[in-house]
Amino acid sequence: MVSEQNLLAQLSVKVGNRLRDERLMLTTAESCTGGLVAAAITDISGSSNWFERGFVTYSNQAKSEMIGVPAELIDKHGAVSEPVARAMAEGALLNSRAQISLSITGVAGPGGGTPDKPVGMVCFAWSNRVTTIVETKHFKGDRTQVRSQAAQYALRGVIELLDKAEA
């Protein structure tokens, strides 16, 4: 069985190869994963050819200050929401030179969950400056497992976004 870390590394290489081949740059906006995606990407030699920058916007204030997520949007929907994930992905693009972005915001646990937003709930967005795709997933496991699954899912979403752009 492939370990979670190896799977994340394999997905990072796959995403990197696609972006390199298509001459595109990626930016990330991560909250609950705390830079896990950016770390996996920058473990790859040559990733500077396709990874432009990563934002770790763990606090609500960082989301607003670094990538322009309106505080009113966070107040209305909560940091873990599809509208905020969308604003994070679009804000990361606006504050970078990349053409593709991904964002992750969720409840990794073990605390912080509510009945409406339980531990394991993660909102994602992927954008290419034309289209933004937003999705919510519920992952099972402890904090480390939720974060790892979220990072992997976010990278898979980049591949899906690139596939849709080609179609």
Side-chain angles (χ1 to χ4, degrees):
M1 187 173 109
V2 178
S3 75
E4 295 286 321
Q5 191 172 1
N6 285 344
L7 188 54
L8 187 57
Q10 290 173 4
L11 284 165
S12 296
V13 168
K14 187 174 181 181
V15 165
N17 288 340
R18 280 292 298 276
L19 291 167
R20 184 197 64 229
D21 292 350
E22 296 186 32
R23 298 188 190 317
L24 297 172
M25 297 287 280
L26 174 70
T27 185
T28 60
E30 299 180 70
S31 186
C32 67
T33 49
L36 192 58
V37 173
I41 286 169
T42 57
D43 277 346
I44 300 167
S45 178
S47 58
S48 61
N49 292 315
W50 52 271
F51 183 61
E52 208 273 327
R53 70 183 71 183
F55 298 94
V56 177
T57 56
Y58 204 72
S59 72
N60 293 345
Q61 188 172 353
K63 289 172 182 63
S64 295
E65 289 176 1
M66 293 175 72
I67 54 176
V69 177
E72 304 79 38
L73 192 69
I74 297 169
D75 291 342
K76 181 176 181 181
H77 299 282
V80 180
S81 64
E82 290 188 359
V84 169
R86 173 185 297 275
M88 288 171 66
E90 292 173 352
L93 282 177
L94 290 173
N95 289 282
S96 74
R97 293 175 290 133
Q99 299 82 28
I100 304 287
S101 69
L102 68 82
S103 71
I104 308 168
T105 182
V107 184
T114 66
D116 289 345
K117 296 179 183 185
V119 170
M121 179 179 160
V122 182
C123 300
F124 300 88
W126 302 269
S127 188
N128 64 5
R129 296 190 184 265
V130 175
T131 301
T132 302
I133 299 166
V134 185
E135 190 174 345
T136 298
K137 295 290 286 183
H138 294 268
F139 300 107
K140 300 218 179 299
D142 65 18
R143 182 178 182 81
T144 300
Q145 292 167 321
V146 168
R147 293 175 72 223
S148 179
Q149 291 171 80
Q152 292 168 34
Y153 195 81
L155 287 169
R156 285 188 193 102
V158 171
I159 294 165
E160 290 180 23
L161 179 66
L162 293 170
D163 287 347
K164 285 180 181 173
E166 285 182 352

